[in-house]
Amino acid sequence: MSPLPTFTARIAAEDLATLAEVASLRFPLRAAESRRLERMRTLLAAATELGQTLNQYTHCALVNCQGSHGVGSVHEHGERFMAALAHYAELTREVAAEYRHHVDGAPSPLLLAALEPSARLEVA
């Protein structure tokens, strides 16, 4: 048996709570809303991949556990699952950190950054 790669994955409940709120956010500026949609779609695609790899790993382990050795490798499926989990956990932290201030009621740097420089108000 070859040594398995080392993965570390941590998903904080606070990050999941933030993302639940971000899923319902709507930004009035097109650029900020497009960015939110892009980030959430990326995160949800990673969640889908995570679910699929867990299902494949579980199915392969179940087949091998019941005595009929399948053609799939439980170790390979486990490695794919851990890679998907690590990727999802990383994206969860990133997206939650990026949008946390919107949920907590702080000023919105994303909305300000989305404004074109010519559209900003300047006072002389």
Side-chain angles (χ1 to χ4, degrees):
M1 181 165 91
S2 62
L4 296 176
T6 303
F7 293 103
T8 302
R10 179 182 170 271
I11 300 172
E14 177 184 279
D15 289 345
L16 291 177
T18 297
L19 293 173
E21 295 292 327
V22 172
S24 299
L25 283 177
R26 300 295 182 270
F27 293 112
L29 298 175
R30 188 179 316 193
E33 180 62 9
S34 293
R35 173 76 176 160
R36 182 192 70 84
L37 288 172
E38 174 190 334
R39 295 295 279 158
M40 287 302 293
R41 285 183 184 134
T42 301
L43 177 69
L44 295 172
T48 299
E49 177 70 18
L50 175 60
Q52 290 171 347
T53 58
L54 176 59
N55 187 42
Q56 292 164 356
Y57 171 74
T58 304
H59 178 76
C60 186
L62 184 61
V63 166
N64 283 278
C65 174
Q66 294 177 349
S68 58
H69 297 289
V71 294
S73 167
V74 179
H75 293 288
E76 288 176 15
H77 284 291
E79 289 175 8
R80 282 190 220 118
F81 168 67
M82 284 305 301
L85 178 59
H87 180 65
Y88 176 73
E90 179 182 349
L91 279 174
T92 296
R93 280 190 306 276
E94 287 176 9
V95 176
E98 184 176 338
Y99 288 94
R100 182 165 286 116
H101 59 277
H102 294 286
V103 174
D104 294 340
S108 170
L110 264 182
L111 291 176
L112 294 176
L115 288 173
E116 295 296 321
S118 60
R120 291 190 184 163
L121 262 175
E122 293 186 18
V123 179

